[in-house]
Structure formats: structure tokens, C-alpha cells
Amino acid sequence: MASVNAGKALVLREKESFDVALWSLAKLRKLFKNAIVIVALLFVWEVAPRVGLVDRTFFPPISEIAAAWWQLLLSGDLTEHTIASLSRSLGGFTLAILISIPLGLAIGWWKPVSEYLNPLLELLRNTAALAILPVFILLLGLGETSKIAIVLYACTFPLLLNTISGVKNVDPLLIKSARSMGLSPVSLFRKVIIPAATPTIFVGIRQAGAGSILVLVAAEMVGAKSGLGYLIQYTQFSFQITNMYAGIISISVIGLIINYLLVTLEKRLTGWKQTYSE
């Protein structure tokens, strides 16, 4: 009997080891698929300037840009400009979430609110944020307030529109079922409407997160003395091309990190949602 149990335990351990090996192989395969195109791009970026396919003065190899990025990091300049940009971007982004999501829920759920506010929203959402940047600067000055305000404006409409769409597209059968079970309007809104609309709301949050960085960088190029947008503009005018590319790559990396954090948060909050791969 003991030998039989020992044999079963051995089989189970071998099966677990095999499952772990398959899981590791699947992870490596996924990592390879995700990284192969980026690695190929970096290889072309390194080789093309060195063999004369592009002008090395204006498009230096990626290794030289990486060295310049490292020097900017060691000097503290990159950290200073990154902190300045992130503080402005996160400030406007957070304000947009606090304002737009509750407003979008109200517009999507209560028809009178929608009838009053929709015309104004249609007018404002078709006005590009950068087009009214001069207005923000004239009214709020060149300081931090105008930068945060333009980010707030740019982030508001992706959040609003996706929140409204999420509420309006909730399955009517869910609402009828909840009402038939005697849920109060408040409970219905809290337990059915908000959870069902959350995936669509997160689409808006991710769009707003990307927009907060892009709009801010453009605003910093117009009137700022710090930030990644200012760094790119200054290094371009100073013909410090490798530093300019280092700033651009920093923005791309920050955007990827923000998107990854938002996707991770979305998965935690919407773990019930089934994907096509499942």
C-alpha cells in the first residue's frame, strides 16, 4: 500500500513538473512574439545610420541615444523634467476622472441631464484641445495651472463619452431582472449599472491616460521651463539630437507603463469579464 501511495505521489510530482514546464514554455513563446518586432526595429535603428541608409546626424544609432539617455539620468535632468511632466499630467488626469465619470454616469442614466448637457458637449468635444491652448494661457498664464487645465480638458471627453456609452449600452434584461427582484434605484445603479459599464469606462480611462501625456508634451513645447516637452524642444533648438531622441523615448516608455498599470487595474476590477481567448 505504501509503495502504491509513493508511486501516485511520484506521478503527481512528475505531472506538476510537466505542467510547470509547459507553462514556462508558453510564457517564453508569448514573450518572444511580443518582443521580436521591437528587437528587429532596434536592430534596424542601430544598423541603418551606421551603414549610411539615413543621415547619422539627424537619426543617430540607438546605442548613442541610450548613452545620452543614461547621461541625462545621471545628471538628474531627465528625472527633473519627468517629475514635472508627470505631476502636471497626473493632476489633470485625476481631476478629469473625478469630474467626468460621475457626470457621464448622470448623463447616461438620467434623460433630463442628457437633454440639457448634450448640445454643449457636442460643441466642446469637437474643439481640439491644442486649438484652445492660447485661451488657457491668456486666462491662466504660463504657470502650472494652464498646463493642468489643458490636460483636464483633453482627458474629459474620452472619459465622458465612454462613460455615457457604457451606461446606455447596459443590457436591458439585466435592468429588468434587477427591478423584478425589488432593487431600489440606488441599489440598481450601484450593483448593476456601474459594474456593467466599468469595462467601457476603462476604455475611456486608457484613452485619457494616453492623451494626458501627448497633450501635455505639446503644451510644454509652447510655454514651459521644465518637462519632457520642454526638454525635446530645447534639445532640438540646441542641436542635441541624441538628447532629443532620449526625451522622445522617455515619453514612449512612460506611456507604456501608464497603459500597463491601467490594464492591470482593469483586469482586477473586471475579472468577471470573459475575453475571446477564454
Side-chain angles (χ1 to χ4, degrees):
M1 188 68 178
S3 61
V4 173
N5 291 335
K8 289 182 179 179
L10 181 60
V11 170
L12 288 175
R13 281 199 297 269
E14 289 178 351
K15 185 178 182 302
E16 289 175 358
S17 300
F18 182 72
D19 291 341
V20 170
L22 286 179
W23 180 83
S24 301
L25 185 61
K27 286 291 183 181
L28 288 174
R29 189 181 296 114
K30 183 179 179 181
L31 180 62
F32 175 79
K33 289 180 179 178
N34 291 338
I36 184 63
V37 176
I38 296 177
V39 172
L41 174 64
L42 294 177
F43 176 77
V44 173
W45 193 338
E46 179 68 25
V47 172
R50 295 188 182 277
V51 300
L53 292 178
V54 294
D55 191 337
R56 185 168 179 167
T57 303
F58 302 107
F59 199 80
I62 189 65
S63 58
E64 295 182 6
I65 296 170
W69 184 90
W70 182 249
Q71 290 300 319
L72 282 172
L73 183 64
L74 292 179
S75 67
D77 290 343
L78 184 62
T79 303
E80 177 186 348
H81 291 301
T82 300
I83 291 174
S85 290
L86 284 178
S87 61
R88 296 162 182 160
S89 178
L90 292 177
F93 180 54
T94 303
L95 286 174
I97 289 176
L98 295 176
I99 295 171
S100 300
I101 292 180
L103 183 60
L105 291 172
I107 293 172
W109 186 242
W110 287 289
K111 189 174 180 180
V113 180
S114 174
E115 290 175 346
Y116 279 110
L117 294 183
N118 261 340
L120 178 62
L121 293 179
E122 288 298 320
L123 173 65
L124 293 178
R125 80 181 184 90
N126 289 300
T127 304
L130 294 179
I132 61 172
L133 176 59
V135 178
F136 282 102
I137 293 176
L138 287 173
L139 295 177
L140 303 174
L142 289 172
E144 300 300 304
T145 306
S146 62
K147 307 295 184 300
I148 295 174
I150 195 68
V151 173
L152 169 62
Y153 181 88
C155 293
T156 292
F157 297 102
L159 286 165
L160 263 179
L161 295 176
N162 281 280
T163 302
I164 294 169
S165 175
V167 173
K168 288 186 174 181
N169 289 321
V170 174
D171 190 345
L173 291 177
L174 289 176
I175 299 174
K176 290 180 181 179
S177 299
R179 283 175 172 164
S180 67
M181 295 173 65
L183 284 182
S184 66
V186 175
S187 297
L188 172 66
F189 195 76
R190 181 171 59 88
K191 295 182 178 181
V192 177
I193 302 301
I194 293 179
T198 297
T200 308
I201 292 173
F202 260 97
V203 173
I205 291 175
R206 290 173 61 186
Q207 291 176 350
S212 68
I213 296 292
L214 299 177
V215 171
L216 176 65
V217 168
E220 288 175 340
M221 289 181 176
V222 175
K225 294 298 181 184
S226 63
L228 292 172
Y230 167 77
L231 174 65
I232 295 170
Q233 186 88 326
Y234 172 78
T235 51
Q236 179 201 5
F237 289 154
S238 304
F239 211 71
Q240 302 174 30
I241 303 302
T242 53
N243 288 348
M244 181 191 75
Y245 280 105
I248 295 171
I249 290 174
S250 297
I251 293 170
S252 300
V253 172
I254 289 171
L256 285 173
I257 293 172
I258 290 175
N259 184 68
Y260 174 78
L261 293 175
L262 291 176
V263 169
T264 303
L265 179 61
E266 179 184 6
K267 287 180 178 178
R268 287 184 176 274
L269 294 179
T270 60
W272 47 267
K273 185 179 69 171
Q274 188 177 22
T275 62
Y276 286 110
S277 60
E278 295 171 339

